[in-house]
Amino acid sequence: MSPVQKYAIGAGIAVLFSLFFLPGWVTLLVVLGLVAAPVVGYLMLDPSQRERLKRARRRGIGH
């Protein structure tokens, strides 16, 4: 199982948990946090690190 699949499964479980056990606004915060975390992490990379990440994805490292 790839790391992306593990992340997606974990995010889905977190959202389902929050839907059933937490109020609506907290669920919204959980969903926004799950979406924002990888985006912020990507934006914190230097341009050279972003390029290295793009090259690694194209080569299929990790499959």
Side-chain angles (χ1 to χ4, degrees):
M1 186 179 303
S2 74
V4 174
Q5 289 173 329
K6 291 177 186 177
Y7 181 79
I9 290 171
I13 291 170
V15 169
L16 286 176
F17 175 79
S18 66
L19 279 173
F20 290 116
F21 297 110
L22 299 174
W25 62 273
V26 178
T27 300
L28 179 63
L29 290 176
V30 169
V31 171
L32 289 176
L34 290 171
V35 171
V39 172
V40 170
Y42 179 77
L43 292 175
M44 288 175 59
L45 296 174
D46 294 333
S48 62
Q49 292 172 322
R50 290 181 193 167
E51 187 60 36
R52 182 191 289 172
L53 184 61
K54 287 178 189 176
R55 281 195 313 261
R57 284 185 197 154
R58 273 184 264 160
R59 276 188 258 149
I61 291 178
H63 291 112

